[in-house]
Amino acid sequence: MRALITGSTGFVGQHLASYLMNYGIEVWGTTRDNFNGIIPGMKIVPVDFENVGSLVKVLDDVQPDFIYHLAGQSSVKDSWTDKSTTFQSNVNLTIHLLEAVINSTIKGKVKVLTVGSSEEYGGPDEQYKPISEDACLKPTSPYGISKATVGMLARHYFVAYGLKIIHARPFNHIGPGQRVGFVVSDFSNQIVQIERRQQNNVISVGNLSAQRDFTDVRDIVHAYYLLLNQDENADWGGSVNVCSGKATSIQSILDTLLSLSHSFIDVVVDSDKLRPVDVPVFIGDNTKLKSLTDWEPTISLTQTLSDVLKKLRDQS
Ligand code: GDD
């Protein structure tokens, strides 16, 4: 079997590539530039996502059985200042890819996974119940609106062209190797800088009262694998939450990270890190994922946070 991963050099892409190769799947990763492969064994194919014709040629040449479309703008925070870029990366490039698929020779056999987000649900939902896939979409961030559009596109390409496509809606995913710009990596990077005496002993944070549903990226990519491994009777065109079903406050994430360090660290809230709208609580309902597959999260939050710190401490 052969998989094509768009965004293969990103945080999730690298974890997914390793995971699939462990299962004996041949992995091809797209890149916009002449990238020299971080993941040993992954084949790299340069792709111009603006050019549907060249995308068709790549698909015809590679002949993937699975496409994991991870490429895009992944920062909710950046979407407030880069609205056009967010839509260009997340919506337009998805259209280009899916147009290429339906115009290629793999149309009838390939299975495609698009990646959405809990941000599609928006809110706030005053009752703070676990959100299931049939909840009304009320995205409040530009990022959430773009991802909701991707989900609708997935449905469109299934209904209109019969494409076997699943739209995953991951809630917050964290783990070793995530770039700065996300809460766990932002906090962890500062802690390691403080431990190395490269920063004074004050960690700067944003909104600590928000609660999010965190899952380790290694469990997330396992779910992505299972979702495309379903048979012909899967819920093609549908959306599936990928989440733990538990909410954890950002304050609690900070407390755990601080408890994993021997340094004495003060905390200061930086108003620049607060967002115009920040949904207070996100808890996902993972009943659908568990009913479609045998997925269970396997890595505890404390283990994930410890692994994130370890990876950063090991880097020179
Ligand atoms: N980034 C960041 N940095 N967030 C902070 C900080 C900080 O220093 N301090 C507090 N926060 C709060 C944010 O305000 C937000 O409420 C929460 O921590 C999580 O922020 P992020 O880690 O940036 O994640 P996100 O929820 O905006 O988006 C992530 O999860 C989505 C799924 O729920 C991303 O991974 C998205 O790509 C993903 O779709």
Side-chain angles (χ1 to χ4, degrees):
M1 294 301 233
R2 194 172 295 152
L4 181 75
I5 304 176
T6 73
S8 60
T9 56
F11 167 55
V12 183
Q14 291 186 42
H15 281 282
L16 179 62
S18 300
Y19 180 92
L20 295 177
M21 285 189 292
N22 275 342
Y23 270 78
I25 295 174
E26 182 181 312
V27 177
W28 289 70
T30 69
T31 175
R32 272 169 293 189
D33 27 53
N34 287 325
F35 175 80
N36 279 327
I38 296 175
I39 305 288
M42 180 168 72
K43 300 175 198 303
I44 293 288
V45 55
V47 164
D48 176 5
F49 270 93
E50 297 296 343
N51 183 333
V52 175
S54 79
L55 269 168
V56 172
K57 181 163 184 345
V58 167
L59 298 177
D60 284 345
D61 288 348
V62 174
Q63 291 287 312
D65 303 284
F66 309 110
I67 297 176
Y68 297 91
H69 180 40
L70 309 186
Q73 200 291 90
S74 61
S75 167
V76 178
K77 182 168 179 287
D78 291 351
S79 77
W80 289 97
T81 45
D82 281 331
K83 297 185 177 78
S84 303
T85 312
T86 300
F87 274 76
Q88 173 63 14
S89 298
N90 293 352
V91 177
N92 292 5
L93 297 192
T94 300
I95 293 174
H96 294 179
L97 175 68
L98 298 180
E99 278 301 302
V101 173
I102 62 166
N103 285 291
S104 73
T105 52
I106 61 170
K107 178 190 167 192
K109 68 157 190 172
V110 74
K111 295 174 182 171
V112 182
L113 181 129
T114 53
V115 176
S117 170
S118 53
E119 280 285 318
E120 293 175 48
Y121 295 114
D125 174 355
E126 286 76 15
Q127 297 174 50
Y128 302 144
K129 288 186 303 207
I131 309 167
S132 65
E133 291 80 358
D134 52 13
C136 181
L137 301 185
K138 295 177 282 182
T140 46
S141 63
Y143 174 86
I145 299 168
S146 75
K147 288 295 190 179
T149 310
V150 172
M152 291 175 201
L153 285 168
R155 178 156 182 72
H156 166 71
Y157 277 86
F158 169 69
V159 172
Y161 306 103
L163 203 60
K164 292 190 205 72
I165 185 164
I166 290 271
H167 183 65
R169 286 199 189 122
F171 286 55
N172 293 61
H173 36 305
I174 54 174
Q178 190 169 29
R179 69 171 171 83
V180 289
F182 302 93
V183 68
V184 169
S185 50
D186 282 355
F187 291 177
S188 303
N189 264 283
Q190 292 184 76
I191 289 171
V192 173
Q193 298 265 334
I194 290 167
E195 289 173 349
R196 291 178 176 162
R197 300 184 193 286
Q198 291 168 341
Q199 170 177 332
N200 65 22
N201 69 330
V202 179
I203 180 170
S204 138
V205 302
N207 177 14
L208 296 180
S209 67
Q211 295 180 42
R212 292 289 180 270
D213 182 331
F214 290 96
T215 304
D216 191 290
V217 65
R218 293 161 285 190
D219 283 325
I220 294 271
V221 299
H222 177 49
Y224 289 176
Y225 165 77
L226 293 173
L227 282 171
L228 284 200
N229 237 25
Q230 296 178 86
D231 62 20
E232 304 299 309
N233 301 320
D235 181 28
W236 301 114
S239 298
V240 184
N241 288 343
V242 183
C243 53
S244 73
K246 295 185 204 113
T248 304
S249 72
I250 305 303
Q251 176 73 62
S252 162
I253 293 281
L254 177 62
D255 292 344
T256 306
L257 284 169
L258 292 176
S259 75
L260 294 169
S261 174
H262 295 303
S263 296
F264 174 76
I265 298 174
D266 274 334
V267 176
V268 66
V269 175
D270 177 352
S271 57
D272 284 348
K273 295 192 172 178
L274 304 176
R275 301 174 185 179
V277 182
D278 206 7
V279 176
V281 179
F282 269 130
I283 318 172
D285 179 342
N286 58 21
T287 308
K288 183 173 179 183
L289 174 62
K290 288 184 172 178
S291 70
L292 292 172
T293 70
D294 62 359
W295 183 82
E296 281 289 338
T298 58
I299 304 173
S300 73
L301 187 52
T302 306
Q303 184 63 53
T304 304
L305 298 177
S306 169
D307 289 351
V308 169
L309 285 172
K310 179 173 186 321
K311 171 125 185 163
L312 289 169
R313 287 174 180 142
D314 289 348
Q315 284 165 0
S316 50

